[in-house]
Amino acid sequence: MQRLSARDLLERLVSFPTVSRDTNLPLVDWVEGYLASHGIASHRHWHEDGTKAALFAHVGPMEAGGIVLSGHTDVVPVDGQNWTSDPWVVVERDGRLCGRGTCDMKGFDALAIWALVEAKARGVRRPLQLALSYDEEIGCTGAPPMIAAMQAVLPQAAAAIIGEPSRMKAVNGHKGGAGYRVHVKGFEVHSSLLPQGVSAIMEAARLICWFNDRNAENQAKPASAMAALFDPPFTTLHSGMINGGTAHNITAGDCRFVMEFRVVPGESPQDWCTEFEAYVAKVRAAMQAVRPEADIVLERFFDVPPLTPEVSGHAEGLVRRLTGDNATHVVSYGTEAGQFQAAGYSAIVCGPGDIAQAHQVDEYLELSEFQAGLDFMEKLLSELA
């Protein structure tokens, strides 16, 4: 098979509708076959239900000290969005490449695949690795098992570049996070008999008020030097979805909501989770003192460690050298970079596009950004050669 251009690769990747709720296997099959046609062996790590897989590969000498180019294959849905053109077809319009995932983050994935094949064709003295995960969009759940599988098969790379859209700037820090699905189980009685029942909604409100109180405390206290880099410069607690109840005059039997922590580096997401769970236990005990059937069930559905700026970090030094960017950039959202760092890699976020375009109607990647990403990959190949 001929070596495809980065643009051709992007068009092919976008054509696979790899929404997180669905399979990504057609994309993985195609990438695996394309790499194999150029003499590159791939490895898969399967999701436990067999409907998805991560893919990783290695080019160059089988030795430690290489570079990982890492991206995710899944995208968010287009349901309810009124697109100007087919979201699964890349359309060039006004200097932009429009299509679902062009920015977040199949643009980088295409560049990474292009670079790996070029590295194989040109030859490199230092290794280059590719890592493509699944389920990033639903809580970065696919990267940790992929990383563990990589470390069991491939030599440990010295640096991981996670290509989330950063306008090709070196993002060396981001917040960590954790999220819970919360199910509050009450006991229904007529609202005129309120003390004899347990309102799931009113008990859920205690938990949400606890979030508000912690936010107020965090905002009021002086920010640490690390936290001061972020906007906002403190850990935040948030609930964005809630539903429950049967009627206005019945104590709610059920209430469900979702909450998340966004934790600044220097603080532990686990410490925040432990504090939350302790408060839940206190509220649960009070509920069960009224009705033993009452309960609060927690499902922790994502954990993302922070990306902490490294002192003389290898990944940061490499990206700054290749981009010429010497400014400090941190972000308040999470990425898989923190998971690579937690696994022992020097990690950095650097990729084409603006995060503001992620998940949007008519999502796009500017042609100039895609070209900047291609220029970056050319410099990286020269560095590895």
Side-chain angles (χ1 to χ4, degrees):
M1 184 183 293
Q2 69 181 47
R3 302 211 303 266
L4 299 178
S5 69
R7 173 72 176 269
D8 290 337
L9 289 165
L10 174 60
E11 291 177 354
R12 188 61 63 94
L13 295 180
V14 169
S15 73
F16 296 102
T18 51
V19 176
S20 304
R21 67 188 175 215
D22 301 322
T23 183
N24 73 338
L25 293 182
L27 181 150
V28 170
D29 290 342
W30 185 86
V31 174
E32 185 176 54
Y34 177 69
L35 295 180
S37 74
H38 293 286
I40 302 172
S42 301
H43 306 269
R44 293 192 187 198
H45 174 77
W46 291 90
H47 186 280
E48 59 187 11
D49 68 6
T51 64
K52 303 174 186 178
L55 190 75
F56 53 92
H58 177 108
V59 163
M62 288 297 288
E63 61 187 33
I67 307 299
V68 181
L69 300 175
S70 180
H72 59 82
T73 60
D74 57 320
V75 297
V76 298
V78 297
D79 306 15
Q81 293 185 335
N82 186 22
W83 280 66
T84 302
S85 55
D86 186 339
W88 310 113
V89 176
V90 175
V91 174
E92 183 175 337
R93 189 165 55 241
D94 301 323
R96 300 168 173 174
L97 298 172
C98 301
R100 174 56 88 222
T102 52
C103 179
D104 184 22
M105 60 180 298
K106 290 180 177 178
F108 180 84
D109 293 347
L111 293 167
I113 294 167
W114 177 86
L116 194 75
V117 171
E118 289 297 308
K120 175 69 174 179
R122 301 180 191 184
V124 286
R125 298 179 64 184
R126 290 179 58 199
L128 183 65
Q129 297 177 356
L130 172 73
L132 300 177
S133 69
Y134 57 83
D135 284 356
E136 190 274 347
E137 295 291 3
I138 57 175
C140 296
T141 59
M146 175 191 72
I147 294 168
M150 288 173 62
Q151 292 177 319
V153 175
L154 302 181
Q156 177 89 5
I161 301 171
I162 289 72
E164 292 282 0
S166 71
R167 287 202 168 274
M168 297 308 299
K169 302 297 184 184
V171 172
N172 66 352
H174 65 61
K175 291 186 177 183
Y180 288 89
R181 296 184 180 95
V182 184
H183 181 192
V184 184
K185 301 178 181 181
F187 186 85
E188 292 183 339
V189 298
H190 193 277
S191 59
S192 64
L193 302 174
L194 179 65
Q196 300 176 26
V198 175
S199 170
I201 288 176
M202 295 175 72
E203 298 305 323
R206 296 185 196 276
L207 303 180
I208 294 171
C209 283
W210 186 83
F211 305 157
N212 288 331
D213 291 344
R214 300 293 80 72
N215 283 332
E217 291 173 1
N218 290 346
Q219 190 165 5
K221 69 184 181 184
S224 68
M226 181 71 72
L229 299 173
F230 291 84
D231 181 18
F234 52 87
T235 292
T236 56
L237 294 73
H238 174 253
S239 180
M241 299 171 64
I242 187 169
N243 63 77
T246 302
H248 75 91
N249 59 352
I250 301 175
T251 57
D254 288 282
C255 183
R256 300 174 187 267
F257 65 90
V258 180
M259 71 84 57
E260 65 176 21
F261 297 96
R262 299 288 177 177
V263 182
V264 293
E267 297 181 10
S268 164
Q270 181 55 52
D271 287 349
W272 276 104
C273 290
T274 300
E275 186 175 350
F276 173 54
E277 291 179 13
Y279 185 69
V280 166
K282 180 179 178 180
V283 174
R284 181 191 291 117
M287 293 165 57
Q288 292 178 343
V290 178
R291 296 298 313 191
E293 305 94 326
D295 200 2
I296 303 174
V297 179
L298 301 179
E299 178 193 353
R300 192 159 160 183
F301 70 98
F302 79 87
D303 287 281
V304 181
L307 175 64
T308 303
E310 302 168 0
V311 177
S312 302
H314 182 74
E316 181 176 344
L318 171 66
V319 168
R320 292 196 185 284
R321 191 161 62 249
L322 298 182
T323 62
D325 175 28
N326 291 314
T328 296
H329 308 279
V330 298
V331 294
S332 290
Y333 54 84
T335 78
E336 294 172 339
Q339 295 169 323
F340 273 93
Q341 188 179 65
Y345 296 81
S346 175
I348 194 81
V349 176
C350 183
D354 188 335
I355 193 64
Q357 297 308 318
H359 307 179
Q360 300 301 305
V361 175
D362 291 343
E363 177 183 347
Y364 66 81
L365 175 64
E366 295 170 13
L367 276 167
S368 59
E369 284 289 307
F370 195 52
Q371 183 61 50
L374 189 58
D375 293 343
F376 176 91
M377 293 300 176
E378 284 284 8
K379 292 176 182 178
L380 176 62
L381 290 170
S382 296
E383 175 98 5
L384 296 176

